[in-house]
Amino acid sequence: MANNCCQDSNNCCLFAKYCYLLLVFATTVFAQEFNMNSMPPPDMQMEYSAGALKDGGTLTVIVTVPDKWHVNANKVTDEFLKPSSVEAKAEGLEFGEAVWPEPIKEYNEALELEIWTFRGTFSVKIPVKTVDGTNYDSLGTSVTFNYQACDNSICLAPASKTISLDGSLNGGAVGAGVKKNDSEIGTVEGRTGESRADARENGAGSEAGLADNASAGIALLLFFAFVGGIILNLMPCVLPVLSLKLFSLIKQAGESRGRLLALGGATTAGILCSFWTLAAVVAAVKAGGGSAGWGMQFQSAGFIAFMVVILTAFAMNFFGVFEIWLPWSTTTKMDSAGQKSGLAGAFFTGALLVLLSTPCSAPFLGTAMGFAFAQTTPILFLFFTAAGLGLALPYMLVSAFPSVLKVFPKPGVWMVHLQRVMGVLLLASVGWLFWIVNEQAGVTGVELFAAVAIASIACSVLLGKFAKPGTAFIREVAVVILSSVALFSLWFAGIAPEYERAAIATFNARMQQQMTEDGWFRYSPALIEEFAKAKRTVFIDVTADWCLTCKANEAAVLEDEDFVRAMDSLNVALVKADWTRETPEVNALLQSMEKSGVPAYAIYPAGDASKQIVLPELLTVEGIVERIVTSY
């Protein structure tokens, strides 16, 4: 027993070291790439109040933060956030305490707390005190802005920027740098850009700081992707394939440690290959100028049809209608063949798990992927890999520590009956896909997809009848090829065109209605502008018919009587954006929220989209109400 514990401990240590090395590799290789995506320094200007410079005058600093970024306000809600500050210096002048604008209150999903921020362009007023009435140099005024930049995914390391009215500091003369106290000092605007003096002092350090921040940023976001992949195992989207996972674990009980590690490795390989395939599709869509998002494959009728065929065939296999076998299984090496076919099955289960688990975004995963989808292809693949490792973690842990499988009885005849139950659950998954089709194309769509399912069942029966184990292997190959050709022909020649017509008609009819069936306003940019003019707070739900997490949130929170009453009392407009089929308007909305998929939720205080508050994927009535109230 002691040796087993020691061995398990060693395996755990090796796994931890592997994860650490992956993280170090990622941060080292991609730090420079992320540095290119750090927020550029804000634009800055400054000006004195018009007239003679005297006590009571004002130095105004105007700061413009780049789009999609914000800086912390001059006060923060958590000690690890750094507040913004300004420092003004000029020979012969003394400055009072800066007067800041009212900050924006918003919820940061990555930090999971309410924060105060500044976005866009804002001004800071600094009172002027003349210390020496006859000897001062206002043209030598310099201002340093200290700030910490953040977006919805990450907070960068604190940084600073200095500007000056002195031409020698900014690379161009603003005027003669003379000492004066007369009224010819009117309104003077400083050039943007860091001073050369500060650059000499801080340049190397700032560059190193940005690199350090890039490493910290990629580590945090990769961790988010990894944790999100783990949580994905618990999301409602994975429930349709829970039967596959359960049956796979039961079949592994009693196997040797080497065999379990091989099966766990095959499942992980299937998960990773499926994730990499999705990443390649996303990269291709982006390269072609299209818009890609997490779970976008469920917007494709062809993908849903493919899943109907696969799940139906898998169910028929569980019912014993046919059996996939390899030619060497008729030889004396039955055990070897069984291992090979078992590994292939584990690989396929891992790949199928990914395809059916991506309609929805899990907590943390949405934040990480929202960032990754806007990055280069290597970064995109890196994040998909991290998410895949997270999704595969339970299977790797079970393979490394098989003692947890002792809760299952030993394999026996009872597994045959359980296998039939698993087949029924798989057909229930097909029923879920039919429900999606009904939402997209109505009864016509369901009838067309029923034909696809029947064709898949017919091909399964054909395979079981003419390619039984032990017959000529060429029969199995021939039936699989002929079945594939028949299914592709049926889809592209007959079903796909009819389905597309029905789906477009259903979608157009839905979009013409201003209200959804459950009484929410249907999203459009024009509608949001109307609410902004009326100063009415907006709650936006970005959802899709195929997103089970979306439906779970709707049932548990958004349709709850307490939520409806609270929104009515606060006069909040409820708006629903439908991403079941891709539209440019909803794509743009998701991009503004820095989300790669659904569900996605946001609050627009007083209808102002520039003060957008993005909420987490999992909701509570109390959390929504609190953020709406604190946004006023």
Side-chain angles (χ1 to χ4, degrees):
M1 175 66 73
N3 289 337
N4 288 338
C5 292
C6 181
Q7 188 172 11
D8 287 349
S9 177
N10 289 337
N11 288 335
C12 186
C13 291
L14 287 173
F15 180 78
K17 289 178 181 179
Y18 172 75
C19 292
Y20 174 75
L21 289 174
L22 174 68
L23 194 61
V24 171
F25 171 78
T27 55
T28 303
V29 173
F30 293 98
Q32 185 175 1
E33 185 99 39
F34 264 75
N35 184 40
M36 296 175 62
N37 292 294
S38 297
M39 188 190 89
D43 290 333
M44 291 176 59
Q45 296 177 333
M46 63 171 154
E47 61 184 28
Y48 281 100
S49 54
L53 189 59
K54 57 183 179 181
D55 291 350
T58 302
L59 173 63
T60 302
V61 181
I62 305 169
V63 180
T64 300
V65 180
D67 291 342
K68 297 185 178 181
W69 290 88
H70 64 260
V71 296
N72 294 330
N74 57 308
K75 51 185 179 181
V76 294
T77 56
D78 199 287
E79 61 182 7
F80 69 85
L81 296 174
K82 302 302 179 183
S84 295
S85 62
V86 290
E87 301 171 9
K89 297 179 181 179
E91 185 178 346
L93 296 177
E94 181 180 343
F95 297 93
E97 185 176 352
V99 179
W100 294 81
E102 188 68 22
I104 301 169
K105 293 182 180 179
E106 57 184 278
Y107 181 80
N108 187 287
E109 183 179 351
L111 303 177
E112 296 187 343
L113 54 82
E114 196 85 23
I115 59 175
W116 290 322
T117 67
F118 294 130
R119 292 181 180 272
T121 300
F122 62 93
S123 299
V124 183
K125 307 284 187 180
I126 305 177
V128 177
K129 298 179 180 179
T130 56
V131 176
D132 188 337
T134 60
N135 191 26
Y136 61 83
D137 183 9
S138 60
L139 289 182
T141 303
S142 66
V143 172
T144 299
F145 175 51
N146 305 301
Y147 63 93
Q148 183 181 32
C150 303
D151 64 8
N152 286 333
S153 301
I154 187 173
C155 281
L156 305 179
S160 63
K161 178 174 180 176
T162 301
I163 63 170
S164 176
L165 294 180
D166 188 335
S168 65
L169 291 177
N170 291 289
V174 175
V178 296
K179 296 178 181 179
K180 56 199 303 185
N181 64 348
D182 297 325
S183 61
E184 57 257 44
I185 295 296
T187 300
V188 185
E189 187 172 317
R191 294 173 180 261
T192 61
E194 294 183 354
S195 69
R196 287 198 296 266
D198 285 332
R200 284 195 301 270
E201 230 172 271
N202 303 320
S206 299
E207 197 168 317
L210 282 174
D212 290 342
N213 174 71
S215 299
I218 192 172
L220 178 63
L221 289 174
L222 279 174
F223 179 71
F224 279 3
F226 180 73
V227 172
I230 297 174
I231 297 176
L232 203 58
N233 283 284
L234 306 176
M235 299 302 288
C237 309
V238 183
L239 293 179
V241 286
L242 184 60
S243 59
L244 290 179
K245 297 196 298 181
L246 178 62
F247 193 69
S248 175
L249 290 175
I250 293 174
K251 286 199 300 183
Q252 292 178 26
E255 298 283 0
S256 67
R257 178 179 292 273
R259 169 73 166 156
L260 286 171
L261 287 174
L263 288 169
T267 301
T268 301
I271 289 173
L272 289 177
C273 286
S274 195
F275 264 112
W276 290 334
T277 300
L278 289 175
V281 171
V282 170
V285 171
K286 290 175 58 180
S291 178
W294 183 259
M296 66 178 184
Q297 67 270 23
F298 278 84
Q299 295 173 337
S300 166
F303 175 80
I304 297 178
F306 171 76
M307 295 309 302
V308 167
V309 170
I310 292 297
L311 290 177
T312 303
F314 220 136
M316 294 302 102
N317 177 257
F318 274 13
F319 291 148
V321 173
F322 72 93
E323 180 180 348
I324 294 293
W325 58 281
L326 302 175
W328 53 81
S329 62
T330 57
T331 68
T332 57
K333 299 180 179 179
M334 290 293 292
D335 183 61
S336 175
Q339 285 198 9
K340 291 179 181 179
S341 61
L343 294 179
F347 180 91
F348 182 77
T349 300
L352 184 62
L353 178 65
V354 173
L355 295 179
L356 278 177
S357 67
T358 54
C360 309
S361 176
F364 295 101
L365 191 63
T367 299
M369 289 304 181
F371 182 85
F373 271 63
Q375 307 307 309
T376 60
T377 298
I379 295 293
L380 185 70
F381 270 84
L382 181 65
F383 273 80
F384 269 77
T385 300
L389 290 174
L391 183 63
L393 180 64
Y395 307 98
M396 292 301 297
L397 290 178
V398 168
S399 300
F401 309 105
S403 58
V404 299
L405 292 176
K406 292 180 180 179
V407 298
F408 298 117
K410 292 182 178 181
V413 178
W414 66 272
M415 291 187 64
V416 177
H417 302 293
L418 179 62
Q419 186 167 309
R420 304 294 188 266
V421 175
M422 299 297 105
V424 172
L425 294 180
L426 285 177
L427 290 182
S429 301
V430 176
W432 166 61
L433 293 175
F434 275 22
W435 179 81
I436 295 174
V437 168
N438 181 68
E439 293 297 305
Q440 295 189 24
V443 176
T444 301
V446 174
E447 292 173 347
L448 292 169
F449 269 75
V452 173
I454 292 172
S456 177
I457 293 174
C459 290
S460 299
V461 172
L462 190 68
L463 184 62
K465 185 175 181 61
F466 292 99
K468 295 180 180 180
T471 59
F473 182 64
I474 189 64
R475 287 191 176 190
E476 185 175 50
V477 175
V479 173
V480 169
I481 292 176
L482 288 175
S483 297
S484 300
V485 171
L487 289 170
F488 273 98
S489 300
L490 175 66
W491 173 255
F492 287 106
I495 293 180
E498 290 297 324
Y499 179 84
E500 189 64 18
R501 279 192 286 270
I504 290 175
T506 302
F507 182 78
N508 289 341
R510 182 184 294 180
M511 291 299 105
Q512 290 175 1
Q513 301 171 354
Q514 186 180 10
M515 305 292 290
T516 65
E517 294 81 359
D518 50 2
W520 288 50
F521 289 96
R522 197 173 297 281
Y523 172 80
S524 72
L527 177 66
I528 299 302
E529 291 179 5
E530 291 298 320
F531 284 131
K533 292 177 183 177
K535 303 294 182 182
R536 187 176 179 186
T537 296
V538 176
F539 177 86
I540 296 182
D541 170 20
V542 189
T543 183
D545 291 334
W546 36 259
C547 172
L548 287 180
T549 303
C550 303
K551 299 304 177 185
N553 280 342
E554 290 172 9
V557 179
L558 302 184
E559 295 174 359
D560 185 85
E561 292 183 0
D562 292 338
F563 173 79
V564 175
R565 282 196 298 267
M567 296 302 101
D568 287 342
S569 65
L570 294 171
N571 193 31
V572 175
L574 300 178
V575 177
K576 185 166 293 186
D578 191 350
W579 203 54
T580 301
R581 290 176 67 89
E582 181 185 10
T583 64
E585 293 79 10
V586 180
N587 285 345
L589 175 62
L590 285 172
Q591 289 174 4
S592 73
M593 299 167 69
E594 298 184 357
K595 292 288 189 179
S596 62
V598 291
Y601 308 98
I603 297 168
Y604 290 175
D608 189 350
S610 67
K611 298 180 180 178
Q612 181 187 81
I613 301 173
V614 179
L615 303 177
E617 285 88 353
L618 298 182
L619 303 174
T620 63
V621 175
E622 296 77 11
I624 297 172
V625 172
E626 179 184 356
R627 288 175 192 127
I628 291 175
V629 171
T630 56
S631 70
Y632 291 151

